[in-house]
Amino acid sequence: MAEPFLIGDAMTGGYGGADILHGCTIAVEPGEIAVIVGPNGAGKSTAMKAVFGMLKLRGGAVRLKGEDITTLTPQARVAKGMAFVPQTSNIFTSMTVEENLEMGAFLRRDDIRGTMEQVYGLFPILKEKRLQPAGELSGGQRQQVAVGRALMTQPSVLMLDEPTAGVSPIVMDELFDRIIEVARSGISILMVEQNARQALEIADKGYVLVQGANRFTGTGQALLADPDVRKSFLGG
Ligand SMILES: Nc1ncnc2c1ncn2[C@@H]1O[C@H](COP(=O)(O)OP(=O)(O)O)[C@@H](O)[C@H]1O
Ligand SMILES: [Mg+2]
């Protein structure tokens, strides 16, 4: 099989004590949406951190376009086209919306205005509120700021840890539509989601993680149709 665009391959490691990840494999192709689901504490966020270089692996590797990036820092991975929106503290609340977007582009030395207009095109409300402190925005709008900030680096891979946490179903649908739009532009999406059913609906590929290991892997549709996955992870 051809080498995936981005792969965390047989990742094993943790936070210094016992391993949290046990040979966990996650991969995504250009323009594809890959979704990680699983119970609380399964290691979903840990797997994302490992792929982004925030966790030292004891086994396995991370490769981007075939290049082994296992030992690269997160900053070096950003320079290679990866962007990560963590689960919490993903915006600067005291800075304006626009300042948050500018911060996202801090590594760039070229003109960022075109990208900023693209972000505003994707999330028009952010343009309206661009001079407001991001902390004054609603939960869904803050998530838009976080995603927008990540897009300011012009990534080829966008990693999102629970982008719809704490938002209403309508706001979730809206955000998923925008994420689909981003994927259609050719960017790979690697996303952790608590709203498993809805996320698998838009997933090209889904991973069910349990106790730091792959339990089920398949297309979103295949996982949604799998009786075992439904019974154990999707509430029947
Ligand atoms: N910074 C940390 N230090 C030590 N243990 C952690 C840390 N973050 C998470 N863990 C532990 O790792 C396990 C997996 O956590 P996490 O990856 O956050 O799960 P999930 O995102 O699937 O809910 C849990 O047992 C959690 O307590
Ligand atoms: Mg998590």
Side-chain angles (χ1 to χ4, degrees), residues 94-121:
S94 61
M95 293 176 132
T96 66
V97 168
E98 191 141 293
E99 285 166 348
N100 268 275
L101 297 183
E102 285 164 2
M103 287 297 288
F106 76 102
L107 277 179
R108 289 177 57 181
R109 292 287 165 268
D110 55 334
D111 191 346
I112 65 170
R113 278 173 303 185
T115 315
M116 196 172 277
E117 281 310 314
Q118 282 172 5
V119 169
Y120 287 146

Side-chain angles (χ1 to χ4, degrees), residues 97 125-126 129 132-142 145:
V97 168
I125 190 73
L126 297 189
K129 305 207 165 188
Q132 281 188 36
E136 288 179 4
L137 273 57
S138 72
Q141 291 164 358
R142 286 178 189 218
V145 174

